[in-house]
Amino acid sequence: MGMYIINGGNRLEGELRIEGSKNAVLPILAASIINGKNSIIHNVPYLKDVNTLVSMLESIGCKYSFVGNTVIVDSTGDLDINIPEKPVREMRSSIILMGAMLGRFKKVKISFPGGCEIGLRPIDLHLSGLRLLGAKIVESHGYIICECDKLYGNEIHLDYPSVGATENIMLAAVSAEGVTTIQNAAREPEIVDLQDFLNKMGAKITGAGSSTIRIQGVTSFHDVEHTVIPDRIVAGTYAVAAAITGGKVVIRDIIPEHIKPIISKLGESGCKIYRYDKDISISCSRRPNAVDIIKTMPYPGFPTDMQAQMMALMCTARGTSIFIETIFENRYKHAEELIKMGANIKIEGRAAIVKGVNKLMGAHVFSRDLRGGAALVLAGLAAEGTTIVDNVDLHIERGYENLDIKLKNLGADITKEK
Ligand code: EPZ
């Protein structure tokens, strides 16, 4: 399953460049189905999830080639409307193919993605939005079968600003007849990147990044070239790595605006952060202060994908922090692993009370989900002695490009074992 062996205590120093965003590139790869032509996509990170999605595109008939961090997808010709079942169950975010296939072919058969380690991950908002566009959707025997002659623009109000539902509705609505508005849309930067990609292939979308997105359906699309935005969660993870080791790191090629909610919490914990045009530098010369409340919220609030990493930092802080995880119902699995390392954490439903300890101790811990696994690596960097983080290729390598190598280049004592 692969494990990282970490000898803690080294201060991280140096600089690194942040890779393209996993949560931007996945919907953009799905969107490359829509134009039935070529899509040239730059700044694609080397991740398991990217490989999974690209292989799914190939399995339905797309052609692709990688040149460094650029992928070229050719979606010309008829594609198979049956999405392969196994990868959908392994990577639930591939449900994003549903909207793209409807946008192109007005039909798709895809298996229910099911839940994952952090929660049930229902898709009711996706399905109700697509039905409002005119899709006939039958859910049977674990499959979702969508079909319609035409999609029609409509007013859609999301009960919750779901990222995936917003993306799926955008992908289907680009070729609907008439105008679609999505109200209470997700405002994440990855939605804006998807809008930019779709508009470059001929779509007419405005409003991404706000709560109301307007999509004017069009009938034809052309080739597209696009560069994916940097990964704000990966940037935040390395910022915490600098803070938890009392180091000083320059993080390059990011969009500082996208990590403002993360930076503000790190500033509250006593880190010194300087913002430049596309870079930040972060240092923390002493034990961090506890941040009273860390409540995860949809963007531009504090991101749920940084909750675990921030918890690792607060485990070593001076004082007590209270986390409130409002997005997912089961996103504290890393807590029991951190407790094995000497952390003082109590879970009460959606709340986690973290009382900072002077030092964490190295232990053999298990990553249970992507961001929780990253948090255990961060804790290992600061812990006394050796930490083994297990199951890294199951989880961590899905969302972090060469995490061990990049940390080693910053001075961490970390090696990967098969
Ligand atoms: C995206 O997941 C991200 N994944 C997640 O990142 C991220 O944590 C999440 O958005 C929130 O920011 C990708 O972009 C690939 P949601 P998504 O739909 O789209 C409920 C990572 O670590 N909900 O905004 O699945 C749902 O149960 C991953 O990179 C419904 O109830 O998130 C959850 O409680 C983890 N019905 C909440 O909304 C629906 O139809 C947020 O889900 C859809 C969602």
Side-chain angles (χ1 to χ4, degrees), residues 270-295:
C271 295
K272 292 261 171 303
I273 300 151
Y274 298 98
R275 272 184 61 166
Y276 305 96
D277 179 28
K278 290 189 178 158
D279 312 325
I280 60 160
S281 89
I282 175 164
S283 62
C284 192
S285 53
R286 53 175 179 69
R287 190 174 165 194
N289 307 320
V291 173
D292 293 345
I293 302 265
I294 294 162
K295 182 175 180 183

Side-chain angles (χ1 to χ4, degrees), residues 59-85:
S59 67
I60 61 173
C62 294
K63 297 181 197 62
Y64 77 93
S65 59
F66 269 102
V67 179
N69 283 93
T70 295
V71 68
I72 301 160
V73 181
D74 174 359
S75 60
T76 48
D78 257 345
L79 305 180
D80 183 347
I81 60 111
N82 298 290
I83 305 297
E85 177 176 353

Side-chain angles (χ1 to χ4, degrees), residues 240 243 260-271 273 282 284 286-296 302 306-307 309-324 344 352-357:
V240 172
K260 257 166 90 173
I262 304 166
I263 294 305
S264 75
K265 287 300 173 193
L266 289 173
E268 269 183 65
S269 75
C271 295
I273 300 151
I282 175 164
C284 192
R286 53 175 179 69
R287 190 174 165 194
N289 307 320
V291 173
D292 293 345
I293 302 265
I294 294 162
K295 182 175 180 183
T296 64
F302 186 84
M306 278 298 302
Q307 177 256 106
Q309 300 91 309
M310 199 66 195
M311 185 179 287
L313 181 64
M314 292 296 103
C315 286
T316 65
R318 207 191 299 272
T320 300
S321 298
I322 297 176
F323 286 78
I324 302 167
N344 181 338
I353 298 103
V354 180
K355 195 170 179 314
V357 296

Side-chain angles (χ1 to χ4, degrees), residues 113-131:
C116 72
E117 311 80 9
I118 62 176
L120 283 173
R121 314 292 292 273
I123 56 166
D124 54 308
L125 300 177
H126 300 235
L127 300 180
S128 53
L130 296 175
R131 286 187 167 112

Side-chain angles (χ1 to χ4, degrees), residues 194-224:
L194 178 61
Q195 169 183 274
D196 294 349
F197 179 80
L198 288 166
N199 284 345
K200 285 176 186 172
M201 72 158 69
K204 287 189 171 47
I205 310 174
T206 53
S210 77
S211 298
T212 302
I213 298 176
R214 184 181 187 279
I215 304 124
Q216 162 77 49
V218 297
T219 53
S220 69
F221 299 92
H222 44 72
D223 289 354
V224 53

Side-chain angles (χ1 to χ4, degrees), residues 33-102:
I33 289 170
I34 292 173
N35 62 355
K37 294 188 171 66
N38 287 312
S39 301
I40 303 172
I41 306 165
H42 303 293
N43 202 28
V44 175
Y46 293 122
L47 301 173
K48 279 180 77 173
D49 277 10
V50 168
N51 293 338
T52 302
L53 194 61
V54 166
S55 320
M56 293 173 83
L57 293 177
E58 185 180 41
S59 67
I60 61 173
C62 294
K63 297 181 197 62
Y64 77 93
S65 59
F66 269 102
V67 179
N69 283 93
T70 295
V71 68
I72 301 160
V73 181
D74 174 359
S75 60
T76 48
D78 257 345
L79 305 180
D80 183 347
I81 60 111
N82 298 290
I83 305 297
E85 177 176 353
K86 187 167 175 295
V88 174
R89 293 193 186 286
E90 282 165 4
M91 187 181 79
R92 61 168 311 285
S93 47
S94 39
I95 194 65
I96 202 69
L97 290 168
M98 178 167 62
M101 291 298 282
L102 278 175

